[in-house]
């Protein structure tokens, strides 16, 4: 059935010149993407009514673009050019993207500005409209916008984007996470180019550029509405519950922090992910957004440091989530596919995930907010086994600030991770000391995990142990790679598990170099029955550590297989779920019950 569908899609796509390439492994969504990908509004926390998607078929070529509208290979935007969905499926350090567009009538209003928005381009982007420079941006995971009002004209316009992406080439130290030019085992195919949505937006001359909202368990809402205008502008905010009832109205000044109260709000938590809608007006500009009322803190219960959500301690159990896809690499095929992973975790009883050295599109975080999944968000690391110079470290720190600034409104995020396992972590001094302080200044509402794994000098809220396969969480025993449990901080098993089970070729990433590294998996279990048995044993060990010692949270490796790794709850194509569902739900509930028995309540 899948083969015949592929044939039909290929015929239809050929008429347009664009064709999905055949990936080493596909998913059930690969051939459903079409030529109008990701039609959803890209920024749900700063949403306006008048916008126009520029996703779809563009032109692409290697090198730097020529003037006007160059002709090249048809490419699907957004997608990594290394992906099958792009229609290119090759890496290029320097390449260009181009298309023509007309500004829709709905966006044209006298006195308004036209912005072009990019959700993410990896790595450096230089944007031209009608051969005029609109602007440039550095950083592969961050959104950016340019005012192109004075560059556009009636009728057709040309848009070109020159992209430079060295990934982990020698001589470069940039945030790449798990991307590498030489994929092997735990490092994967890179992502280059326009990999998140591109779109136009109509805004008043004076408009909102940033909306920061933090709502706590007591109903206090702290707000800063940043505009491109003066601070004398009045801000009007309406808070609406899920029934459509207005529960608060407030006023403040633009570009100045202010606060107001909502009486007896329903709180956000994984078990009850209640969200409230916001309508924010400044002058002629009106945006909609949302927030959740919750408070993240640390506290001491029976002499043990604990993470508190709305004043309560409960066990936080999640997966290491790489966020890679066999057909889209960094870009999920569509919204349905992206949410599939989250729902699978929730169905098994997980209440958290660690987004591992990657940043997702805004709709991913919205889905976690809606479905109730706590997030530990990593900063994408620079290449492993190298150290940055002073200039490279400064640039990485600038982008760390962007991670916080662009993601601090999502209720689901409750912890920031600075360094993972010492990757590109300077040891001549301790940058995590001042970086922890910096993150606390930028966002005092969340916890900080300064060093996940090792090279730990005592900073941050968490003491984070990594150990495979069995856990060592808040225990009086530890491996040499880690450090003894520090009882001044919260104990988390930042990674454990990692047990693998090989599958038939049908579900493997069909690249021989990747297949050759399967035997590097921490543990291979010969049958699915053995894999589930081993899972039960390891979760039982973890439960003992919750009952006997100081373990407060843990992260299982991992959500899905990725390329040469076969240690996922799901295979890389998302077609096989390994866990015995009843067994895993029971074992996860036992973790929660063990923590509940130690929450200090009589």
């Amino acid at each position: 059935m899948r083969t015949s569908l592929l044939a039909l899609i290929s015929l239809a796509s050929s008429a347009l010149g664009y064709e999905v390439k055949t990936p080493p492994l596909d998913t059930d969504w690969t051939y459903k993407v079409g030529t109008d990908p990701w039609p959803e509004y890209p920024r749900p926390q700063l949403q306006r009514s008048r916008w126009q998607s520029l996703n779809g078929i563009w032109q692409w070529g290697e090198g730097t673009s020529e003037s006007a509208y160059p002709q090249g290979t048809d490419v699907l935007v957004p997608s990594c050019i290394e992906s099958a969905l792009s229609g290119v499926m090759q890496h290029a350090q320097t390449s260009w993207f181009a298309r023509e567009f007309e500004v829709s009538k709905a966006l044209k209003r006298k006195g308004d500005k036209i912005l072009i928005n990019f959700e993410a381009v990896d790595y450096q982007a230089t944007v031209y409209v009608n051969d005029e420079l609109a602007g440039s941006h550095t950083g592969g995971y961050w959104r950016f916008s340019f005012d192109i009002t004075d560059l556009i004209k009636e009728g057709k316009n040309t848009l070109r984007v020159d992209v430079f992406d060295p990934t982990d080439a020698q001589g470069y130290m940039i945030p790449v996470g798990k991307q590498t030019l030489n994929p092997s085992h735990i490092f994967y195919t890179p992502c280059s180019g326009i990999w998140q949505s591109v779109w136009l937006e109509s805004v008043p001359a004076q408009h909102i550029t940033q909306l920061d909202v933090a709502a706590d368990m007591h109903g206090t809402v702290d707000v800063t509405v940043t505009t491109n205008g003066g601070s004398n502008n009045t801000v009007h905010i309406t808070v609406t519950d899920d029934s459509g009832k207005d529960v608060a109205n407030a006023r403040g000044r633009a570009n100045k922090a202010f606060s107001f109260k909502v009486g007896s709000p329903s709180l956000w938590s994984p078990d009850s992910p209640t969200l409230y809608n916001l309508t924010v007006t400044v002058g002629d500009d009106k945006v909609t957004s949302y927030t959740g009322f919750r408070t993240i803190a640390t506290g001491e219960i029976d002499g043990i440091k604990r993470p508190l959500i709305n004043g309560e301690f409960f066990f936080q159990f999640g997966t290491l989530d790489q966020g890679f896809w066999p057909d889209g690499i960094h870009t999920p095929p569509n919204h349905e596919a992206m949410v599939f992973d989250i729902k699978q975790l929730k169905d098994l009883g997980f209440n958290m995930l660690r987004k591992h050295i990657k940043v997702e599109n805004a709709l991913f975080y919205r889905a976690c907010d809606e479905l109730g999944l706590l997030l530990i968000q990593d900063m994408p690391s620079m290449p492993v086994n190298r150290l940055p110079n002073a200039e490279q470290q400064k640039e990485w720190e600038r982008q760390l600030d962007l991670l916080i600034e662009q993601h601090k409104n999502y209720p689901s995020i409750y912890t920031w991770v600075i360094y993972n396992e010492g990757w590109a972590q300077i040891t001549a001094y301790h940058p995590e000391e001042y970086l922890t302080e910096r993150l606390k200044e930028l966002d005092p509402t969340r916890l900080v995990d300064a060093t996940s794994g090792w090279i730990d000098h005592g900073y941050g809220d968490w003491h984070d142990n990594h150990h495979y396969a069995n856990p060592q969480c808040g225990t009086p025993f530890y491996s040499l790679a880690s450090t003894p449990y520090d009882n001044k901080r919260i104990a988390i098993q930042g990674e454990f598990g990692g047990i693998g089970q090989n599958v038939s070729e049908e579900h493997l990433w069909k690249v021989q170099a990747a297949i050759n590294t399967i035997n590097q998996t921490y543990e291979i279990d010969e049958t699915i029955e053995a894999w589930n048995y081993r899972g039960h044993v390891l979760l039982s060990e973890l439960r003992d550590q919750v009952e006997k010692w100081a373990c407060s949270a843990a992260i299982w490796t991992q959500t899905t297989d990725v390329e040469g790794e076969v240690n996922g709850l799901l295979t890389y194509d998302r077609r096989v779920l390994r866990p015995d569902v009843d067994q895993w739900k029971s074992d996860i509930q036992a973790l929660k019950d063990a923590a509940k028995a130690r929450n200090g309540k009589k």
Side-chain angles (χ1 to χ4, degrees), residues 30 126 143 167 205 254 324 331 380 433 457 461 489 497 539:
T30 304
T126 306
R143 65 177 184 257
T167 313
F324 275 70
T331 309
E433 178 180 13
H457 299 106
D461 298 296
R489 293 179 291 163
L539 294 186

PDB file of all heavy atoms in Angstrom, residues 30 126 143 167 205 254 324 331 380 433 457 461 489 497 539:
ATOM      1  N   THR A  30       5.691  10.351   5.772  1.00  0.00           N
ATOM      2  CA  THR A  30       6.644  10.843   4.767  1.00  0.00           C
ATOM      3  C   THR A  30       5.952  11.311   3.499  1.00  0.00           C
ATOM      4  O   THR A  30       6.243  12.397   2.978  1.00  0.00           O
ATOM      5  CB  THR A  30       7.662   9.737   4.410  1.00  0.00           C
ATOM      6  OG1 THR A  30       8.308   9.290   5.600  1.00  0.00           O
ATOM      7  CG2 THR A  30       8.694  10.250   3.416  1.00  0.00           C
ATOM      8  N   THR A 126      21.705  35.155   5.139  1.00  0.00           N
ATOM      9  CA  THR A 126      21.704  36.511   4.605  1.00  0.00           C
ATOM     10  C   THR A 126      20.528  36.614   3.650  1.00  0.00           C
ATOM     11  O   THR A 126      20.425  35.833   2.700  1.00  0.00           O
ATOM     12  CB  THR A 126      23.018  36.825   3.868  1.00  0.00           C
ATOM     13  OG1 THR A 126      24.122  36.566   4.738  1.00  0.00           O
ATOM     14  CG2 THR A 126      23.059  38.282   3.425  1.00  0.00           C
ATOM     15  N   ARG A 143      14.606  32.093  16.071  1.00  0.00           N
ATOM     16  CA  ARG A 143      13.760  32.849  15.158  1.00  0.00           C
ATOM     17  C   ARG A 143      14.340  34.250  14.946  1.00  0.00           C
ATOM     18  O   ARG A 143      15.032  34.792  15.817  1.00  0.00           O
ATOM     19  CB  ARG A 143      12.335  32.947  15.707  1.00  0.00           C
ATOM     20  CG  ARG A 143      12.210  33.727  16.998  1.00  0.00           C
ATOM     21  CD  ARG A 143      10.756  33.854  17.436  1.00  0.00           C
ATOM     22  NE  ARG A 143      10.628  34.678  18.621  1.00  0.00           N
ATOM     23  CZ  ARG A 143      10.423  34.233  19.849  1.00  0.00           C
ATOM     24  NH1 ARG A 143      10.338  32.923  20.059  1.00  0.00           N
ATOM     25  NH2 ARG A 143      10.315  35.070  20.869  1.00  0.00           N
ATOM     26  N   THR A 167      28.627  23.231  10.222  1.00  0.00           N
ATOM     27  CA  THR A 167      28.372  22.114  11.139  1.00  0.00           C
ATOM     28  C   THR A 167      29.602  21.928  12.033  1.00  0.00           C
ATOM     29  O   THR A 167      30.026  22.887  12.679  1.00  0.00           O
ATOM     30  CB  THR A 167      27.973  20.839  10.382  1.00  0.00           C
ATOM     31  OG1 THR A 167      26.969  21.180   9.404  1.00  0.00           O
ATOM     32  CG2 THR A 167      27.363  19.805  11.309  1.00  0.00           C
ATOM     33  N   ALA A 205       2.738  50.346  12.484  1.00  0.00           N
ATOM     34  CA  ALA A 205       4.061  50.975  12.540  1.00  0.00           C
ATOM     35  C   ALA A 205       4.663  50.840  13.933  1.00  0.00           C
ATOM     36  O   ALA A 205       5.849  50.539  14.097  1.00  0.00           O
ATOM     37  CB  ALA A 205       3.957  52.438  12.138  1.00  0.00           C
ATOM     38  N   ALA A 254       3.950  49.934  28.084  1.00  0.00           N
ATOM     39  CA  ALA A 254       4.849  49.179  27.211  1.00  0.00           C
ATOM     40  C   ALA A 254       6.291  49.385  27.634  1.00  0.00           C
ATOM     41  O   ALA A 254       6.661  50.466  28.132  1.00  0.00           O
ATOM     42  CB  ALA A 254       4.646  49.607  25.761  1.00  0.00           C
ATOM     43  N   PHE A 324      14.949  13.757  16.312  1.00  0.00           N
ATOM     44  CA  PHE A 324      15.366  13.505  14.925  1.00  0.00           C
ATOM     45  C   PHE A 324      14.332  12.624  14.224  1.00  0.00           C
ATOM     46  O   PHE A 324      13.663  11.804  14.862  1.00  0.00           O
ATOM     47  CB  PHE A 324      16.732  12.822  14.893  1.00  0.00           C
ATOM     48  CG  PHE A 324      17.904  13.776  14.951  1.00  0.00           C
ATOM     49  CD1 PHE A 324      18.181  14.474  16.117  1.00  0.00           C
ATOM     50  CD2 PHE A 324      18.722  13.972  13.854  1.00  0.00           C
ATOM     51  CE1 PHE A 324      19.259  15.351  16.188  1.00  0.00           C
ATOM     52  CE2 PHE A 324      19.800  14.843  13.906  1.00  0.00           C
ATOM     53  CZ  PHE A 324      20.065  15.545  15.074  1.00  0.00           C
ATOM     54  N   THR A 331      13.422  18.357  11.090  1.00  0.00           N
ATOM     55  CA  THR A 331      12.054  18.820  10.869  1.00  0.00           C
ATOM     56  C   THR A 331      11.089  17.647  10.849  1.00  0.00           C
ATOM     57  O   THR A 331      11.169  16.796   9.960  1.00  0.00           O
ATOM     58  CB  THR A 331      11.950  19.577   9.525  1.00  0.00           C
ATOM     59  OG1 THR A 331      12.976  20.580   9.467  1.00  0.00           O
ATOM     60  CG2 THR A 331      10.589  20.234   9.377  1.00  0.00           C
ATOM     61  N   PRO A 380      21.908  23.620  22.928  1.00  0.00           N
ATOM     62  CA  PRO A 380      22.718  22.855  21.961  1.00  0.00           C
ATOM     63  C   PRO A 380      24.207  23.085  22.190  1.00  0.00           C
ATOM     64  O   PRO A 380      24.659  24.226  22.305  1.00  0.00           O
ATOM     65  CB  PRO A 380      22.259  23.415  20.604  1.00  0.00           C
ATOM     66  CG  PRO A 380      20.861  23.903  20.860  1.00  0.00           C
ATOM     67  CD  PRO A 380      20.895  24.455  22.257  1.00  0.00           C
ATOM     68  N   GLU A 433      29.613  28.644  36.404  1.00  0.00           N
ATOM     69  CA  GLU A 433      29.304  29.434  37.605  1.00  0.00           C
ATOM     70  C   GLU A 433      28.584  30.728  37.224  1.00  0.00           C
ATOM     71  O   GLU A 433      27.479  31.004  37.693  1.00  0.00           O
ATOM     72  CB  GLU A 433      30.578  29.746  38.386  1.00  0.00           C
ATOM     73  CG  GLU A 433      30.313  30.599  39.621  1.00  0.00           C
ATOM     74  CD  GLU A 433      31.568  30.930  40.415  1.00  0.00           C
ATOM     75  OE1 GLU A 433      32.687  30.720  39.892  1.00  0.00           O
ATOM     76  OE2 GLU A 433      31.440  31.407  41.563  1.00  0.00           O
ATOM     77  N   HIS A 457      31.081  21.062  39.157  1.00  0.00           N
ATOM     78  CA  HIS A 457      31.782  21.813  40.195  1.00  0.00           C
ATOM     79  C   HIS A 457      30.821  22.385  41.236  1.00  0.00           C
ATOM     80  O   HIS A 457      31.160  23.326  41.957  1.00  0.00           O
ATOM     81  CB  HIS A 457      32.604  22.938  39.565  1.00  0.00           C
ATOM     82  CG  HIS A 457      33.647  22.441  38.623  1.00  0.00           C
ATOM     83  ND1 HIS A 457      33.544  22.558  37.239  1.00  0.00           N
ATOM     84  CD2 HIS A 457      34.824  21.786  38.838  1.00  0.00           C
ATOM     85  CE1 HIS A 457      34.601  22.022  36.659  1.00  0.00           C
ATOM     86  NE2 HIS A 457      35.394  21.543  37.601  1.00  0.00           N
ATOM     87  N   ASP A 461      20.902  23.909  40.361  1.00  0.00           N
ATOM     88  CA  ASP A 461      19.932  23.339  41.295  1.00  0.00           C
ATOM     89  C   ASP A 461      19.978  21.818  41.367  1.00  0.00           C
ATOM     90  O   ASP A 461      19.491  21.232  42.328  1.00  0.00           O
ATOM     91  CB  ASP A 461      18.511  23.763  40.884  1.00  0.00           C
ATOM     92  CG  ASP A 461      18.312  25.265  40.938  1.00  0.00           C
ATOM     93  OD1 ASP A 461      18.404  25.817  42.045  1.00  0.00           O
ATOM     94  OD2 ASP A 461      18.084  25.882  39.878  1.00  0.00           O
ATOM     95  N   ARG A 489      21.939  19.800  46.657  1.00  0.00           N
ATOM     96  CA  ARG A 489      21.189  19.972  45.410  1.00  0.00           C
ATOM     97  C   ARG A 489      20.235  18.799  45.204  1.00  0.00           C
ATOM     98  O   ARG A 489      20.300  17.792  45.912  1.00  0.00           O
ATOM     99  CB  ARG A 489      22.158  20.101  44.224  1.00  0.00           C
ATOM    100  CG  ARG A 489      22.984  21.376  44.255  1.00  0.00           C
ATOM    101  CD  ARG A 489      23.944  21.467  43.082  1.00  0.00           C
ATOM    102  NE  ARG A 489      25.007  20.482  43.188  1.00  0.00           N
ATOM    103  CZ  ARG A 489      25.781  20.107  42.174  1.00  0.00           C
ATOM    104  NH1 ARG A 489      25.589  20.606  40.965  1.00  0.00           N
ATOM    105  NH2 ARG A 489      26.734  19.222  42.357  1.00  0.00           N
ATOM    106  N   GLY A 497      19.428   3.684  31.510  1.00  0.00           N
ATOM    107  CA  GLY A 497      18.702   2.792  30.599  1.00  0.00           C
ATOM    108  C   GLY A 497      19.541   2.518  29.370  1.00  0.00           C
ATOM    109  O   GLY A 497      20.574   1.858  29.444  1.00  0.00           O
ATOM    110  N   LEU A 539      13.894  -0.201  36.190  1.00  0.00           N
ATOM    111  CA  LEU A 539      12.918   0.677  36.830  1.00  0.00           C
ATOM    112  C   LEU A 539      12.682   0.274  38.278  1.00  0.00           C
ATOM    113  O   LEU A 539      12.401   1.131  39.136  1.00  0.00           O
ATOM    114  CB  LEU A 539      11.608   0.685  36.052  1.00  0.00           C
ATOM    115  CG  LEU A 539      11.664   1.300  34.643  1.00  0.00           C
ATOM    116  CD1 LEU A 539      10.273   1.371  34.030  1.00  0.00           C
ATOM    117  CD2 LEU A 539      12.305   2.682  34.657  1.00  0.00           C
TER     118      LEU A 539
END
